Amino acid sequence: MIGRFETLMTSLPDTAENEARERAGGWLRIDLDALKHNYTLLKSLVGPDVAVGAAVKADAYGLGVERVAPALYRAGCRRFFVATVEEGLSLRPVLPQDAALCILNGPTPGSEALLQARRLTPVLNSLDQVRRWSALCRGSFDRSTCLLQLDSGMSRFGLSGADLDILCAEDLLAGLDVTHVMSHLACADDAASPRNEGQRLRFEALRRKLPATLPASLAASSGVFLGSAYHFDLVRPGYALYGGNPSPERPNPMRPVVTLLAGMVQDRWIDPEVAVGYSARFVADAPTRIATLSVGYADGFHRRAGGLASAVLPDCPDIALPIVGRISMDCMALDLTALGDRPLPPGTGFELIGPHRPLDDLAAALDTIGYELLTGLGTRFHREYIESSS
Ligand SMILES: *Cc1c(COP(=O)(O)O)cnc(C)c1O
């Protein structure tokens, strides 16, 4: 119902909605249809025998977990990954009870009983976490599920080979209901890296130390594209669901989910030798049309983007309009000279990220990754969620 209502709001020229957008200065359009399409695409890639979970940590990569997670549930997702106990607690009431909610960073000391009471599923990353969870499970009839993480070479989370020997010698898994053993790839975005196979083989070797063969999970977004040897029983994509390119060497197979538009406040022609913005980092060398857009670094748009990135008008996407000068806290300057004298009313929206300005291209220009751009998106935007049916 809500989805349909919001679609009406976004597809009809609704004055109230337009005014709300303009008041915000910048607006973020999140296409839940594209999100669900991406989920289905990944599901079809791994086939019927492999489950597809979703990484929704960090507020679903900044896109709003309260809208994103239920949309993924409607697309068929039944396993969700967040980083912290706190994220799990706030997501639990948003999803039906049959959705498993996994805490990647594991139980914090003392949180075990709360995790069990709220039906949250910890990933156990260390002997310490295993011991604490097993102490809880020994004292209760409720066999709460957990995942066990093995360190296959990233040195971040998970049990080492030596830890596994202790785990087996002390029979620490007795009484635990481990649904999956998992690990994480460090270099999956570089399909040519020999470390991928190295980690996969190490993961297999570690798994064999365990008393029983348990279902396994290794791949996140990029790992899905390394081939079926990496899929095991469950994959855990995040970035690709949100439209990011999981295989940077190849064209992006995912549909864009995020569009970021910045509203224009004013524009003017400046003469040669006139400067723009803080520190006068840009000086016009010819008559130049400069627009001020209502998005700045406080909105997560990196201060260094001036001179490195561009925007477009969605109705003429072939004309790149460079961002010039230093980005300010609340605004930036755009060089509109290529548009000549085409009249543009205040409030005109320029695309900074979206179908014509891919997230991954902007990230590359700023020497970072799309993950950092998404999770850095600020809280001032007017957010619109597009969903044709729910
Ligand atoms: C974040 C994360 C994922 C998802 O990674 P993407 O690259 O966004 O697909 C999967 N597994 C673990 C352990 C993670 O930390």
Side-chain angles (χ1 to χ4, degrees):
M1 272 313 283
I2 288 170
R4 219 159 288 144
F5 177 67
E6 291 198 357
T7 305
L8 276 172
M9 299 286 279
T10 53
S11 58
L12 298 177
D14 185 293
T15 322
E17 186 74 2
N18 279 336
E19 284 174 5
R21 264 184 221 138
E22 287 181 20
R23 284 199 303 269
W27 50 99
L28 202 54
R29 195 174 291 152
I30 293 150
D31 185 345
L32 298 177
D33 291 333
L35 172 79
K36 292 190 289 185
H37 166 90
N38 289 340
Y39 181 85
T40 308
L41 178 68
L42 294 173
K43 180 75 188 107
S44 70
L45 271 172
V46 298
D49 299 332
V50 178
V52 180
V56 295
K57 58 202 185 191
D59 199 26
Y61 293 40
L63 302 187
V65 73
E66 298 202 354
R67 300 302 309 272
V68 163
L72 289 168
Y73 184 91
R74 290 192 286 277
C77 185
R78 292 294 179 269
R79 190 172 287 279
F80 297 82
F81 292 87
V82 293
T84 66
V85 175
E86 205 55 40
E87 286 183 323
L89 289 172
S90 49
L91 184 54
R92 186 69 275 180
V94 174
L95 288 170
Q97 287 297 308
D98 67 335
L101 238 162
C102 310
I103 315 294
L104 287 167
N105 292 11
T108 49
S111 68
E112 298 83 7
L114 185 59
L115 288 173
Q116 187 181 48
R118 300 290 175 85
R119 299 188 14 79
L120 297 171
T121 305
V123 175
L124 304 178
N125 295 300
S126 63
L127 283 178
D128 168 61
Q129 292 187 352
V130 171
R131 287 202 172 97
R132 284 193 274 116
W133 190 249
S134 115
L136 173 87
C137 292
R138 273 199 305 273
S140 73
F141 296 110
D142 178 2
R143 274 176 46 106
S144 305
T145 58
C146 61
L147 288 78
L148 187 67
Q149 175 131 234
L150 310 178
D151 182 2
S152 59
M154 196 174 180
S155 312
R156 201 175 68 160
F157 290 113
L159 283 79
S160 66
D163 291 336
L164 282 178
D165 293 337
I166 296 170
L167 182 111
C168 296
E170 297 184 17
D171 201 17
L172 292 175
L173 288 188
L176 292 193
D177 185 358
V178 182
T179 62
H180 297 84
V181 284
M182 62 174 276
S183 193
H184 194 55
L185 296 167
C187 304
D189 59 337
D190 176 8
S193 171
R195 290 189 183 273
N196 294 323
E197 202 197 13
Q199 277 197 267
R200 182 170 61 78
L201 296 175
R202 179 82 187 131
F203 182 50
E204 302 266 30
L206 290 173
R207 274 178 85 200
R208 283 196 292 272
K209 283 179 176 271
L210 289 167
T213 308
L214 295 162
S217 175
L218 180 62
S221 296
S222 298
V224 169
F225 291 82
L226 294 177
S228 57
Y230 290 82
H231 295 165
F232 295 91
D233 302 286
L234 165 72
V235 295
R236 316 178 302 266
Y239 192 54
L241 292 171
Y242 309 122
N245 190 353
S247 41
E249 313 293 300
R250 284 178 282 164
N252 190 354
M254 313 314 295
R255 198 175 276 178
V257 172
V258 184
T259 304
L260 173 60
L261 295 146
M264 188 178 87
V265 181
Q266 63 178 119
D267 71 324
R268 88 271 299 138
W269 283 94
I270 60 170
D271 292 328
E273 289 171 42
V274 173
V276 175
Y278 283 121
S279 311
R281 284 292 291 265
F282 176 84
V283 179
D285 57 8
T288 303
R289 186 177 177 191
I290 296 289
T292 305
L293 307 187
S294 193
V295 165
Y297 64 73
D299 301 296
F301 211 86
H302 289 205
R303 183 166 176 266
R304 64 179 178 281
L308 298 176
S310 63
V312 292
L313 274 178
D315 70 0
C316 55
D318 296 333
I319 302 183
L321 305 165
I323 298 169
V324 293
R326 279 262 191 261
I327 307 270
S328 297
M329 186 184 293
D330 315 304
C331 66
M332 67 175 76
L334 205 57
D335 181 347
L336 300 190
T337 312
L339 297 177
D341 277 315
R342 174 179 164 180
L344 293 167
T348 297
F350 290 84
E351 180 182 315
L352 293 170
I353 297 172
H356 312 298
R357 280 292 168 275
L359 176 65
D360 289 283
D361 291 3
L362 177 62
L366 299 179
D367 196 20
T368 181
I369 53 175
Y371 297 67
E372 193 189 14
L373 298 184
L374 288 184
T375 56
L377 290 172
T379 54
R380 283 197 294 203
F381 298 118
H382 175 78
R383 287 174 179 238
E384 288 166 11
Y385 291 90
I386 297 171
E387 189 169 24
S388 52
S389 62
S390 42

